[in-house]
Amino acid sequence: MKKHLTLSNLIFVIVLFLMFYKPSRIWFIRQMSFSPSIEKITDSPKISNYNWELQGLNTKEINFSELENKVVFLNFWATWCPPCVAELPYIQEFYNAYKDKIAFVFITNENWKQVDAFFKNKGYNFPVYQSNGNYLEGLPPVTSIPRTFLIDKKGNIRVDKSGSADWNSASFRKEVEELLK
């Protein structure tokens, strides 16, 4: 049986390569990232206990209870996760614009050496933490990353987003401004 290199086979091989080649995969994911929307309070779960110890990797350690009565952007991520890496430029822009209005908490289970090298390479500077074993009561289980929550001042989870998103879109910023009022 003779095998032929056809145009469709060539295109198939190129598409496979692009999907497995991390930089192009991240680019495709960014192109498919949509703006999240903020849920109404009646539709959202609520944080029941803010006691959650967090070890700061590039910032001081905190107890999540210090963030009670604040709007909190909580993101679970890793440097090896293509959808995480795809959304981080949006997050960094959002963080730059709102770091004085919103508490940002980024959770990873990676060591600081990995995260620091990644941050230096990409120019990121948002605060990164590791959990000290316990978990935030009332928060749905995180079974995949990236997973992002936006918690309002009363502890209502107003955004629960799995997967990459455009966190710096004009529509999301408009909703955040309304939430901060």
Side-chain angles (χ1 to χ4, degrees):
M1 182 180 211
K2 200 174 193 184
K3 295 184 180 183
H4 296 283
L5 181 63
T6 63
L7 182 59
S8 61
N9 287 345
L10 183 61
I11 290 172
F12 178 73
V13 169
I14 290 170
V15 168
L16 278 178
F17 172 76
L18 291 174
M19 291 310 295
F20 287 106
Y21 181 60
K22 191 173 179 179
S24 62
R25 187 172 33 171
I26 291 168
W27 182 86
F28 281 114
I29 293 169
R30 286 201 71 186
Q31 302 317 304
M32 295 183 295
S33 294
F34 300 101
S35 176
S37 58
I38 295 177
E39 300 294 324
K40 296 179 179 160
I41 293 174
T42 56
D43 301 334
S44 68
K46 189 171 183 168
I47 302 302
S48 56
N49 182 351
Y50 278 78
N51 186 28
W52 185 26
E53 295 291 330
L54 299 173
Q55 176 188 353
L57 297 182
N58 63 343
T59 188
K60 66 180 178 83
E61 66 180 54
I62 63 167
N63 187 301
F64 203 80
S65 63
E66 297 171 36
L67 308 178
E68 198 167 358
N69 301 315
K70 295 181 181 181
V71 174
V72 179
F73 184 90
L74 175 60
N75 179 274
F76 293 83
W77 71 286
T79 62
W80 52 262
C81 164
C84 301
V85 173
E87 75 176 356
L88 288 179
Y90 297 128
I91 290 175
Q92 182 66 56
E93 292 169 355
F94 182 64
Y95 172 75
N96 291 344
Y98 286 90
K99 63 184 170 192
D100 296 328
K101 299 176 182 178
I102 295 175
F104 286 85
V105 177
F106 297 87
I107 305 292
T108 187
N109 61 2
E110 295 177 284
N111 66 49
W112 176 239
K113 187 176 179 181
Q114 288 174 291
V115 174
D116 186 45
F118 180 78
F119 272 32
K120 285 178 179 170
N121 183 35
K122 301 291 185 182
Y124 298 141
N125 65 345
F126 43 80
V128 180
Y129 302 89
Q130 289 181 332
S131 177
N132 284 343
N134 57 352
Y135 195 69
L136 187 60
E137 288 180 33
L139 195 68
V142 176
T143 56
S144 66
I145 56 173
R147 180 85 178 261
T148 306
F149 301 94
L150 187 67
I151 304 165
D152 70 15
K153 294 176 183 180
K154 295 184 179 182
N156 299 297
I157 299 171
R158 303 293 293 277
V159 172
D160 178 351
K161 172 77 172 97
S162 291
S164 183
D166 181 355
W167 296 103
N168 197 44
S169 70
S171 60
F172 183 67
R173 283 176 151 217
K174 183 178 178 185
E175 290 186 64
V176 167
E177 288 296 332
E178 287 297 315
L179 189 63
L180 289 170
K181 289 183 180 178

